[in-house]
Every structure is written in structure tokens, then in C-alpha cells.
Amino acid sequence: MTDATDATRTEARADCVLCGEPSEYPESTRGATYCPVCEWQEAQRQACSG
């Protein structure tokens, strides 16, 4: 296991920008973070947008 993996395991999780639930990403992640449900829904919206 690398040091980066250890850091992400102990770091607090970022909140989803849509619903506020914890995401699978650490707080240090840049950009919009989504929880697994919102991430799946956003992927569906992108796939169906033509």
C-alpha cells in the first residue's frame, strides 16, 4: 500500500454537491464531488442528453 492510499483512507470524505451525503472521495479532491447515487444519476443524464 502506498502513502497516498493511506492518506485517502484516513482523510474525511467530501460531501456530495447535490444532496450533501458523503462521497467516496477525500475532501482534498478538486472539483465537484458526488455520492455514488448522484454520480450514477448524473452519468445517466449525460448518456441520455444526446
Side-chain angles (χ1 to χ4, degrees):
M1 203 178 293
T2 65
D3 291 337
T5 305
D6 290 340
T8 58
R9 289 181 189 261
T10 59
E11 189 175 345
R13 298 286 157 210
D15 291 335
C16 175
V17 297
L18 297 176
C19 71
E21 292 293 319
S23 71
E24 296 180 338
Y25 304 101
E27 284 186 341
S28 63
T29 301
R30 298 180 77 189
T33 55
Y34 299 111
C35 70
V37 172
C38 291
E39 189 168 11
W40 182 83
Q41 290 173 344
E42 184 64 21
Q44 292 299 309
R45 283 193 279 282
Q46 294 294 324
C48 294
S49 65

